[in-house]
Amino acid sequence: MSHFIESLYPWYLRHRRDLPWRKTTDPYLIWVSETILQQTRVGQGLPYYERFILSYPDVVSLARAHEDEVLKLWEGLGYYSRARNLLAAARQILQNFNGKFPSAYSDIRKLKGVGDYTAAAVASIAFNLPYAAVDGNVYRVLSRCYGLETPINTPAGKKLFAQLAEELLNRREPGMHNQALMEFGALQCVPKNPDCENCPLVNHCAAFLTKQVDRLPVKNRTLQRSSRYFNFFLIEGVGQILIHKRQKNDIWKNLYQLPLEETAGETSAEEILQSQLLIPLLNIETVKIQKITPLRTHELTHQRIFARFIHLQTDQLPENTAGFIKINKKDISKFAFPGLVKKYFEENHLI
DNA sequence: AAACCGGGGAA
DNA sequence: TTCCCAGGTTT
């Protein structure tokens, strides 16, 4: 109990941000916040958290929700499996624990969408259980403090840092300890250009002493982005448009989109229109081309989407919409769309 | 072990 | 551009 990491505690008490999920010990609220904050900055997730807990203040209200509604609240935040898993886990809790959030680490860890990090975070912060939460911040702080060069995105790295974090854990106040370490990484020991001159741990930091701060943590990168070409059709009847629910195992699963024609490579809008795959399918006769946007890029973690929007006007949308959903324009905002599509609606004042 | 799953902010 | 963010699941 006399490790130098403890000098972080007074730092934490002084510098910690005043965040809504720090005002509660409700495991449900802690869990929701941890899920929203996965791979997401506090500033980005905060408004989503506020809206989410207003709509679903407890496990049972979430468990009773419809997935479309939950995804709508998640719209624009990304990594939508988090929302689907959150709902599934809430239903697990209703079924298996009578709606009461489980208080054992092993039970928490079994919930959908809850991995090692989230289970440890919820167990320690909400129940004061002695589990070390190791997130991106903790990897960075520990790799620098101890000068560890093992790549953090390898099994060996995960094991090493998990073990070290477990040894360092303050077992009396694991929740505070975990948050102190993470907050320190988020505010002081930042990825780029950290202010080491004003760091409370500078005299203990192996990376600082050996001038390796900007090299740590080490991460093997594998990321390769593939390109995809999306042609979205805004097919507008009188006050109505067609949309479609993505259901395959692909990006944006269970979100809505406009009728889409994906091509293998870069294709001109003329070719798309001449191929006439979509229009005959819908048996639309009189179609007027309103506007075709230039190709725009949308970057995802592992895909680069090249998208264009083709705006067509017709007198009347068909009765048989071949799997597409006919909706009123004023109802567009009721559905969850990928950011790319939502942005298009906004540009054209459809929402 | 590697691939897959978003979107935004910072440098 | 590239990197990273209170990661997890699937193959």
Side-chain angles (χ1 to χ4, degrees):
Chain A
M1 255 294 273
S2 62
H3 198 276
F4 70 86
I5 289 285
E6 285 181 18
S7 60
L8 278 185
Y9 303 159
W11 176 93
Y12 175 63
L13 296 179
R14 238 186 59 191
H15 296 279
R16 68 174 179 177
R17 290 165 289 184
D18 189 21
L19 300 169
W21 46 87
R22 292 206 169 127
K23 301 182 192 303
T24 180
T25 55
D26 181 343
Y28 168 75
L29 298 180
I30 306 285
W31 169 55
V32 170
S33 74
E34 291 298 344
T35 305
I36 287 177
L37 292 172
Q38 286 168 12
Q39 299 288 280
T40 304
R41 292 171 192 282
V42 168
Q44 188 188 0
L46 194 50
Y48 284 85
Y49 173 81
E50 302 282 15
R51 285 189 292 135
F52 198 93
I53 64 169
L54 272 180
S55 293
Y56 312 119
D58 50 54
V59 175
V60 176
S61 58
L62 175 58
R64 289 180 180 150
H66 293 287
E67 189 181 87
D68 278 359
E69 189 182 286
V70 179
L71 285 171
K72 180 62 192 175
L73 276 175
W74 214 267
E75 185 185 40
L77 191 56
Y79 283 136
Y80 299 94
S81 65
R82 292 182 293 174
R84 299 193 302 268
N85 288 336
L86 210 51
L87 175 58
R91 291 176 177 167
Q92 275 181 274
I93 295 171
L94 185 56
Q95 287 266 321
N96 305 338
F97 302 99
N98 201 19
K100 185 173 163 57
F101 202 97
S103 57
Y105 174 86
S106 59
D107 289 332
I108 299 171
R109 179 63 179 80
K110 285 185 193 122
L111 297 173
K112 275 247 184 192
V114 174
D116 292 339
Y117 164 75
T118 306
V122 174
S124 65
I125 297 170
F127 298 107
N128 220 30
L129 292 170
Y131 293 89
V134 185
D135 72 338
N137 293 308
V138 176
Y139 282 119
R140 188 168 56 254
V141 172
L142 296 186
S143 72
R144 286 175 177 170
C145 275
Y146 291 87
L148 301 175
E149 302 191 24
T150 312
I152 60 173
N153 57 344
T154 60
K158 289 184 198 307
K159 189 176 171 186
L160 174 67
F161 285 94
Q163 199 168 358
L164 175 56
E166 207 65 48
E167 288 169 15
L168 295 176
L169 183 66
N170 179 337
R171 306 180 75 81
R172 294 185 188 283
E173 291 190 79
M176 189 273 298
H177 170 96
N178 282 334
Q179 293 189 79
L181 212 49
M182 292 191 281
E183 192 77 338
F184 182 72
L187 299 182
Q188 175 71 43
C189 196
V190 293
K192 293 191 172 166
N193 306 320
D195 183 12
C196 296
E197 305 302 330
N198 293 311
C199 175
L201 295 188
V202 67
N203 293 327
H204 302 280
C205 180
F208 181 79
L209 295 175
T210 56
K211 301 189 188 307
Q212 300 288 304
V213 172
D214 56 342
R215 269 190 359 95
L216 293 173
V218 175
K219 202 174 195 174
N220 290 339
R221 55 171 164 290
T222 54
L223 183 78
Q224 52 189 28
R225 241 190 284 260
S226 57
S227 294
R228 296 176 74 175
Y229 301 85
F230 285 2
N231 296 275
F232 288 111
F233 286 83
L234 176 62
I235 306 172
E236 194 175 353
V238 184
Q240 294 187 310
I241 66 164
L242 297 178
I243 63 173
H244 174 247
K245 186 169 185 173
R246 297 181 65 90
Q247 290 171 326
K248 288 184 291 190
N249 271 329
D250 195 356
I251 56 172
W252 305 322
K253 184 179 174 187
N254 290 8
L255 269 69
Y256 291 84
Q257 65 179 16
L258 291 168
L260 167 68
E261 209 160 294
E262 180 173 1
T263 56
E266 192 167 343
T267 316
S268 69
E270 290 68 32
E271 282 179 82
I272 297 294
L273 286 166
Q274 278 167 15
S275 71
Q276 294 193 336
L277 292 171
L278 205 56
I279 307 308
L281 179 71
L282 292 167
N283 200 19
I284 298 173
E285 293 180 1
T286 53
V287 171
K288 187 178 162 202
I289 302 170
Q290 291 287 28
K291 190 179 155 194
I292 301 174
T293 68
L295 225 49
R296 55 181 78 175
T297 62
H298 186 73
E299 305 280 351
L300 278 55
T301 307
H302 62 288
Q303 295 183 23
R304 172 172 293 136
I305 310 288
F306 295 90
R308 83 159 57 85
F309 292 86
I310 300 172
H311 183 177
L312 303 178
Q313 186 82 40
T314 178
D315 295 337
Q316 195 173 7
L317 291 174
E319 286 307 312
N320 178 7
T321 53
F324 297 105
I325 307 166
K326 200 191 304 182
I327 65 166
N328 290 325
K329 277 160 61 178
K330 63 177 172 54
D331 292 330
I332 291 175
S333 61
K334 293 181 182 171
F335 298 84
F337 295 95
L340 172 67
V341 178
K342 189 179 182 188
K343 195 176 293 177
Y344 175 75
F345 287 142
E346 285 169 350
E347 286 169 7
N348 291 278
H349 309 101
L350 287 160
I351 51 175

